[in-house]
Amino acid sequence: MLMKQLIEVYDLLDSSYASGKQVEQYLKGIRSDADVEVYTLEGPKGKTDMVKVRIPGTKGKSKGMNAPTIGLLGRLGGLGARPERIGFVSDGDGALVAISLASKILDMQNKGDYLDGDVFISTHVCPDAPTREHHPVPFMDSPVNMAQVNREEVTEELDAILSVDTTKGNRIINTRGFAISPTVKDGYILKVSESILDLMQMTTGKQPFVYALSQQDITPYGNGLYHLNSILQPATATKAPVIGVAITTEAPVAGCATGATHITDCEESARFMLEVAKAYGRGECSFYDETEYERIQYLYGNMEHFQTLGTGNECDDDA
């Protein structure tokens, strides 16, 4: 259970003074030797604090061994939309889950439980992000360009990525809780991972939910195309397979809405991501079928051009 961590982190982030330094102090209060990196990232619409946490596994690359490294990325525009809105906004759920996962894994180590593989957790902290119009409900905007965030949070060390984000401002996913995406890799939308579905079913006790992706959703922001949201943007900046973990609602809810964080849904999402991290480091789950991926590339060629802005594109990064 991660309810304790979520309540603590929510209390920390639900503040006009929320900052990366406060997150660092909180995590180092759990383990003084925690590897937490915080710095300010400035963009065209303001600034935000990047937070990166690296947690070594017993058989991870950081120990000179070969257990794979998983990235748990909390996607968002901002934690708040001050002064337009007062309080923690729905869009902040990605950061809430990511930082709570860091807290939980560090606490597990205090209790003698270590994951096999290294875990990299990244998100950013901004209590006063802008908003922008989007159908059917307004989006939270970001103070920095999406490409800037991708460059900071997607690193060469990652073998697979779970990207968690509020995904409530749409009519694509009509269930309360969370849903996962098919695996995205190198411009391909691949089949849904059976082992990931198994873990979702185990942690929720329900049939798993999978949300629909369009080809537009896995292209970079800035090409003028529709995007469900930014949840799959990490897939534009890495060769690692990426699965989106979408925190969802039955009815569309604006990302800038306050009072719209459902802590039980966040806990369920975080618990699922933790179980994936455990299993992935042990080699007990896979994000995609490597043999079939080689076959699809042989038959249909390279699709990496979908990770770019395309040809003749002069749009802004966040279009």
Side-chain angles (χ1 to χ4, degrees):
M1 297 287 289
L2 285 88
M3 196 65 74
K4 172 178 178 286
Q5 287 79 15
L6 284 157
I7 291 171
E8 290 177 347
V9 174
Y10 185 88
D11 189 55
L12 184 70
L13 300 182
D14 184 22
S15 167
S16 60
Y17 305 116
S19 69
K21 278 296 179 185
Q22 289 179 339
V23 173
E24 180 180 15
Q25 291 168 1
Y26 166 71
L27 294 175
K28 285 185 174 293
I30 299 168
R31 276 189 74 92
S32 60
D33 62 348
D35 183 353
V36 184
E37 181 183 5
V38 173
Y39 56 92
T40 300
L41 193 63
E42 296 194 12
K45 300 175 184 177
K47 61 183 180 179
T48 189
D49 291 342
M50 289 298 302
V51 178
K52 299 179 181 179
V53 186
R54 291 176 171 85
I55 304 176
T58 57
K59 300 177 182 177
K61 297 174 188 176
S62 61
K63 300 287 180 64
M65 302 176 77
N66 60 3
T69 301
I70 193 167
L72 308 177
L73 309 184
R75 302 291 299 185
L76 70 159
L79 305 173
R82 297 173 178 88
E84 183 179 341
R85 298 291 178 93
I86 298 173
F88 189 87
V89 296
S90 172
D91 195 54
D93 290 356
L96 173 62
V97 168
I99 296 167
S100 297
L101 278 162
S103 172
K104 176 65 175 179
I105 297 172
L106 291 171
D107 184 57
M108 287 170 60
Q109 291 187 341
N110 285 339
K111 296 172 180 175
D113 287 333
Y114 292 79
L115 276 65
D116 289 58
D118 296 342
V119 179
F120 173 79
I121 298 170
S122 179
T123 191
H124 66 95
V125 175
C126 177
D128 50 8
T131 62
R132 63 170 165 165
E133 288 303 309
H134 181 268
H135 181 77
V137 292
F139 261 179
M140 281 292 292
D141 206 345
S142 174
V144 297
N145 287 336
M146 198 60 60
Q148 288 178 271
V149 177
N150 285 341
R151 284 193 296 269
E152 299 300 323
E153 70 181 7
V154 178
T155 70
E156 292 293 327
E157 67 200 273
L158 304 182
D159 297 302
I161 294 171
L162 290 178
S163 173
V164 59
D165 194 358
T166 305
T167 312
K168 302 172 183 176
N170 63 82
R171 294 186 295 181
I172 305 300
I173 313 166
N174 302 310
T175 185
R176 165 82 185 272
F178 75 96
I180 63 169
S181 75
T183 300
V184 177
K185 178 172 167 58
D186 296 332
Y188 274 102
I189 300 175
L190 302 174
K191 69 180 183 182
V192 181
S193 164
E194 289 291 337
S195 56
I196 299 296
L197 287 174
D198 288 342
L199 288 167
M200 185 176 182
Q201 185 171 300
M202 178 190 75
T203 53
T204 65
K206 300 180 293 187
Q207 292 293 336
F209 290 101
V210 179
Y211 68 91
L213 280 182
S214 68
Q215 194 66 32
Q216 295 98 305
D217 291 324
I218 69 168
T219 62
Y221 273 29
N223 57 11
L225 298 177
Y226 170 85
H227 293 81
L228 179 69
N229 68 350
S230 70
I231 191 169
L232 265 309
Q233 286 301 292
T236 67
T238 181
K239 295 191 70 63
V242 181
I243 293 175
V245 181
I247 302 173
T248 61
T249 47
E250 290 185 20
V253 174
C256 59
T258 55
T261 292
H262 307 112
I263 197 159
T264 53
D265 298 345
C266 292
E267 196 280 332
E268 205 169 60
S269 306
R271 186 157 33 87
F272 160 75
M273 292 174 69
L274 177 57
E275 292 307 313
V276 172
K278 291 179 188 176
Y280 186 71
R282 292 194 299 260
E284 294 177 355
C285 77
S286 63
F287 277 52
Y288 70 105
D289 184 322
E290 294 184 17
T291 301
E292 186 170 74
Y293 182 67
E294 291 177 5
R295 177 67 176 169
I296 198 171
Q297 284 192 306
Y298 172 76
L299 291 172
Y300 297 102
N302 189 309
M303 297 283 274
E304 292 179 6
H305 52 283
F306 283 107
Q307 295 177 286
T308 74
L309 287 172
T311 58
N313 198 305
E314 298 178 354
C315 297
D316 296 330
D317 279 339
D318 284 342

